[in-house]
Amino acid sequence: MSGRSGAVRAPAGAAPVAVAVVIPARDEEALLPAALASVRAAAEHPGVGATPVLTVVVADTCTDATAAVARAAGARVVPVGFRNVGRSRAAGVLTALSSLGDVPGPVWIASTDADSTVRPDWLAHQLARAAEGWDAVVGTVTADRWPPGKPHLAARYQRLYETTRPPSGRPWHHPHVHGANLGVGSRAYTAAGGFPPAALDEDRGLVDALERTGARILRTADCPVTTSTRTTPRAQGGFGDHLANLERAVPPLAASSGEPVS
């Protein structure tokens, strides 16, 4: 693999011939445009070349203009009423693979979220790792702008998130799994049974299944995705709830006085 990550190179495999970007969304008309714009920029990166990229937005129980926003941006829209992020991601993948069924080779499935923005080299990074033989790429996230007056929340989050990061810039084979920054080859995805129909931790469920089936998984912090710091999330029990719990754990006196928080 690349020298930046420092991991042992995986055996070379068949390079993907198409990319499917899957984004579940529930009432995300405000944040979805930025997410789709970032994916479009990533699809136009020179590292992607002529590889076709299909973006699928799964509009789950939406009551706003999420579907219209997605269509206007050129995405394929899958309207569902699951109220379940695992089923939504799986439905998006199924639609994408069906739509790309005539491509002569494996498809790379890139997963992100409607409240997140990816880097311009996000897809190029994942495709390069796939070409090196990795079946899945498990990435990290960075937090978007923190609300004013909450520096201790930001510091506490960063400290806890990077507890296992080694010193001196050595490669960080992190323990995190985020649906906002996850990529997997279609063959490994199918062998693992796809995203489980779980309302929480569906991303971790897929990675666990990939491990059980012997997939070659790269955990890397080389290409993080920026995600929202809102503490009123659409999916209960996910990243937003984690931030809300951290905020409740910050003692009010420490937050107002500038004293360090453990």
Side-chain angles (χ1 to χ4, degrees), residues 95-111:
T95 296
L97 294 182
S98 297
S99 300
L100 296 169
D102 57 348
V103 298
V107 174
W108 186 260
I109 302 160
S111 170

Side-chain angles (χ1 to χ4, degrees), residues 26 28 85 199-200 230 232-241:
R26 182 185 300 176
E28 292 285 11
V85 68
L200 179 65
R230 64 186 177 189
T232 55
R234 299 294 186 268
Q236 299 304 307
F239 186 72
D241 277 350

Side-chain angles (χ1 to χ4, degrees), residues 51-78:
T51 305
V53 177
L54 172 64
T55 300
V56 177
V57 173
V58 184
D60 189 354
T61 323
C62 292
T63 60
D64 67 355
T66 290
V69 166
R71 291 191 185 96
R76 182 77 53 86
V77 176
V78 182

Side-chain angles (χ1 to χ4, degrees), residues 235-260:
Q236 299 304 307
F239 186 72
D241 277 350
H242 170 64
L243 294 181
N245 290 335
L246 285 182
E247 185 172 13
R248 285 190 289 269
V250 176
L253 288 177
S256 63
S257 67
E259 295 177 4

Side-chain angles (χ1 to χ4, degrees), residues 192 205-215 217:
L206 172 60
V207 173
D208 288 346
L210 289 168
E211 290 176 343
R212 289 194 297 271
T213 55
I217 301 171

Side-chain angles (χ1 to χ4, degrees), residues 23-48:
I23 306 174
R26 182 185 300 176
D27 291 342
E28 292 285 11
E29 63 179 5
L31 297 180
L32 184 59
L36 292 175
S38 72
V39 169
R40 184 166 56 251
E44 295 170 351
H45 190 278
V48 175

Side-chain angles (χ1 to χ4, degrees), residues 76-173:
R76 182 77 53 86
V77 176
V78 182
V80 298
F82 297 146
R83 294 184 181 274
N84 180 295
V85 68
R87 293 181 65 188
S88 292
R89 289 197 201 275
V93 174
L94 179 62
T95 296
L97 294 182
S98 297
S99 300
L100 296 169
D102 57 348
V103 298
V107 174
W108 186 260
I109 302 160
S111 170
T112 190
D113 286 340
D115 66 343
S116 303
T117 55
V118 304
R119 295 189 349 178
D121 63 341
W122 183 61
L123 291 177
H125 166 76
Q126 292 198 11
L127 285 175
R129 304 293 79 77
E132 292 169 351
W134 299 102
D135 294 316
V137 177
V138 182
T140 56
V141 299
T142 59
D144 199 358
R145 296 178 299 274
W146 291 95
K150 297 185 178 180
H152 290 82
L153 175 59
R156 182 180 180 87
Y157 162 79
Q158 195 70 21
R159 184 165 59 251
L160 292 175
Y161 190 82
E162 299 200 353
T163 296
T164 62
R165 184 189 282 272
S168 305
R170 294 202 302 271
W172 183 29
H173 307 301

